[in-house]
Amino acid sequence: MEGNFMSLKFASKSENESFARVTVAAFISQLDPTLDELTDIKTVVSEAVTNAIIHGYDNNPEGIVTITARLEGDTVHLTVEDQGRGIEDVEQARQPLYTSKPELERSGMGFTIMENFMDEVEVETARGKGTKIIMRKRIESKKALFN
C-alpha cells in the first residue's frame, strides 16, 4: 500500500463539497482510521473545498477544484488546489475569525480548523493564480489501538 494515491477534479459548485469529503474519506479508510480521525479529515476537506469555491472562485462554477490524497505508511498527504484569485495576505487569512467575506456570515475559522485537525498545514498561493493547501496527518490505526 506504500505510495497509494488518488486525484479528483470537480466543478467549483458547493454541491460537490460533500462528494469530495465522502470520496476522500472512502479512500483513506484503508488505513483503518478511528471515527474521530475520519471526521477530522472530512471536516478539513470541507473547509478547504469551501474556501476554494467561495474565496478562490467567488462561487463561479467554471472553476475547477483538484484534490489529491496520497497514503504513505500511516500518513495521509492531502492537497486541495484551485486556480482562482489567490490569497492576498496568508498570515491574515490564517488568523482565527478573519474572513474576507463577512457579508456571507462565514466564521473565519477555516484555517484554524485545518491546523487543529491536521499535523501540518502549508499554504502556497499567488494572486490571480490560485491557492494550494497541503496537509498531512498521521493516522493511529484502530488496529494499533487494540494490539
Side-chain angles (χ1 to χ4, degrees):
M1 193 162 64
E2 287 293 313
N4 196 5
F5 74 95
M6 58 145 271
S7 184
L8 185 64
K9 289 183 189 294
F10 52 90
S12 63
K13 296 182 174 194
S14 58
E15 54 263 42
N16 287 335
E17 175 264 324
S18 61
F19 163 70
R21 185 178 64 226
V22 169
T23 304
V24 171
F27 178 72
I28 68 158
S29 67
Q30 58 196 287
L31 290 182
D32 201 20
T34 64
L35 194 56
D36 284 347
E37 289 169 331
L38 206 53
T39 300
D40 289 354
I41 297 264
K42 287 161 81 171
T43 302
V44 299
V45 168
S46 292
E47 291 294 334
V49 167
T50 300
N51 280 351
I53 293 168
I54 290 177
H55 299 290
Y57 291 122
D58 266 332
N59 283 313
N60 178 352
E62 303 290 312
I64 295 173
V65 178
T66 304
I67 297 179
T68 307
R70 190 175 82 248
L71 307 178
E72 283 184 2
D74 59 359
T75 303
V76 177
H77 301 262
L78 269 180
T79 62
V80 179
E81 198 169 353
D82 67 67
Q83 284 77 48
R85 63 175 41 203
I87 301 170
E88 200 162 308
D89 184 338
V90 173
E91 288 312 307
Q92 185 181 42
R94 289 179 97 147
Q95 294 304 308
L97 305 178
Y98 173 78
T99 178
S100 63
K101 297 198 180 280
E103 71 280 6
L104 297 181
E105 297 183 16
R106 303 281 298 147
S107 72
M109 295 299 286
F111 278 119
T112 304
I113 289 167
M114 289 182 238
E115 288 166 350
N116 285 332
F117 288 1
M118 301 298 280
D119 297 333
E120 288 179 59
V121 177
E122 296 170 40
V123 181
E124 295 176 3
T125 188
R127 293 289 292 148
K129 292 192 179 3
T131 301
K132 181 184 209 177
I133 311 288
I134 304 153
M135 301 173 278
R136 279 178 273 298
K137 183 175 183 73
R138 188 170 169 272
I139 299 298
E140 301 277 342
S141 169
K142 285 187 293 205
K143 291 178 195 131
L145 296 176
F146 299 113
N147 288 338

